[in-house]
Structures are given as C-alpha cells and as structure tokens.
Amino acid sequence: MRIRIVVFMVMILLLLGCSKRPPKKFTHDVLLPMTPVKDQGKTELCWAYAMLATIETEHILRGDSVNLSPVYIERMLPHYLPSPNKEHPQRAMGQTLLNMIGRFGVVGYDVLPDDASSDLPTPEWVFMLGARYTPLEFSHSVCAPDEYLSLTCWPDSPYYKKVEVPVPDNWEHNRLLNIPIDTLRQRVDRALRHRHPVCWESRGHAMAVVGMAHDETGKPYYVMKNSWGKRGPYDGLVYMSARKMWRDMIAIYMTKQAYYYDEDQD
C-alpha cells in the first residue's frame, strides 16, 4: 500500500511539473481584431459561434462594430429544419448559420449573452442608433444574402463545381464549392494577409481563423478564435499548425470579396 502511495505521489508531481511548463511562444504574422471570446458551454453550437465570430471580425475591419448572440441562434434552432442526428441535434455547419440568420435574423450579444437564463425573453426588436428593427431587418446590415462563399476540398468530386459534403453535420444537404487544396490554402492565406477572417470547420469542431503566426523554429500556425471561454494559456485563442488545419479541414467560409481579391492589388 505504501509503495502505491509513493508511486501515486510521484505521478502527481510529474503532472504538476508538466502543467507548469511555459506556453509555446509565437510571433504573429497577421492578427486581426476580434470581439471578446465567447463560451458555448455544454452546447454543440461551435458552428454558430465560429461563423458569427467571423462576421464580427469582418465588420470590425470595415469600421463597424457588432457583437452577435449565438444564444439567439440556439433558440431559433428548434423552429428550423429538424436535425436527423438524434445523438447530436445541435450539430450543423457554418452554412446553417448563414441560412438561419437569413430566415430568423440575429440580435446583439448584450441582450442575449452566453449566460442568459431560460426565462430571459427572446428579443423581438433590435434597437440601434435610435432606430428599431426586427432581428431579420437587423441581419440585413450584418450579413447580406450570398455575401459568403462555402468552400471545401473533396478530391473525389469535380473541382470548381458545387458538391454535397457527405458528413453528418451537413444534414441540410448544403452544397459547397469544391476547390483544389493548394488553391484553397492560397486563397485563405491571401484573405488573412489582406485582413479578412475565415471560418474553419473540421469533423468535430469549428473556429474563426483570425491570424497567422510562426513558432521559434519558423513552423507556420493559424490563430483561431475558439468558443470555450478564455481557457488555456492564450486567453481562448488556439494556435493550430498549418499541417493540422489543412489535414482536418472539411469546410471554409469567407466573403466573396476575400476570395476574389484582385491579385493586382497585392
């Protein structure tokens, strides 16, 4: 028994030693402004948080300021198309968020924050600059119809055609523009360099990409704005290696302006 206790204590000390390891140092090549990091809690709404975060940063870079409520999207979800995924009924893709705000609109984070209790009523109006709007009217100034492109790389399907990505989260059967991976990577990197965020999705999670960085060895990373609060050593940001980002990528969302940026302006 005493030996087991000693072994257990040694393991605890080793774990504590590992937890005190200083975080990795990164140098930012690009870091875009963003709204405060939100917290999705126990929900499976990362797709909504990531897409809204992308829209928010896009607006900041236009000289505008919007901070949008994912909780509103959560409350509208039962009124939207029912998800066939019974185990994960909240799972979806970034295109679902765009579709939903085109149908139900969106409201500000200040009136319906992450910690909003269930008895806090869903706003019927959005008040801005002394004017009153419905959530749908407000959404027209936040995200114009067809403002964003939904992109993927699915090598088994024809390139530069829209394809349905066969993953469970795509229960709406949305079709995404199929782009060769090297071209898609070039477009994402160019968008970030010219101060446009993008939304990234894998099979398990979605985050807004708000920058590019490298470590002390020169290894490239993407700076992601996560939706798990300010956890971790980087206050809610995630530094994902370029290799992992592109290996795990299922979908990318960016504005048409970012995708079709005039190369002559580089």
Side-chain angles (χ1 to χ4, degrees), residues 81-98:
L81 297 174
S83 168
N85 191 338
K86 295 181 180 179
E87 294 183 3
H88 303 284
Q90 289 186 327
R91 293 283 294 271
M93 297 183 73
Q95 183 64 47
T96 304
L97 182 281
L98 297 172

Side-chain angles (χ1 to χ4, degrees), residues 76-131:
M76 294 298 106
L77 194 57
H79 305 287
Y80 196 54
L81 297 174
S83 168
N85 191 338
K86 295 181 180 179
E87 294 183 3
H88 303 284
Q90 289 186 327
R91 293 283 294 271
M93 297 183 73
Q95 183 64 47
T96 304
L97 182 281
L98 297 172
N99 296 342
M100 286 187 67
I101 65 175
R103 179 171 173 181
F104 300 107
V106 70
V107 303
Y109 182 81
D110 57 338
V111 296
L112 210 58
D114 289 338
D115 58 357
S117 60
S118 58
D119 60 351
L120 183 65
T122 302
E124 296 183 8
W125 303 101
V126 176
F127 296 91
M128 184 174 62
L129 302 176

Side-chain angles (χ1 to χ4, degrees), residues 219-238:
K219 182 178 177 180
Y221 289 78
Y222 290 92
V223 187
M224 316 286 231
K225 180 186 179 185
N226 206 354
S227 52
W228 295 342
K230 291 193 173 183
R231 296 185 181 93
Y234 307 108
D235 292 330
L237 297 182
V238 172

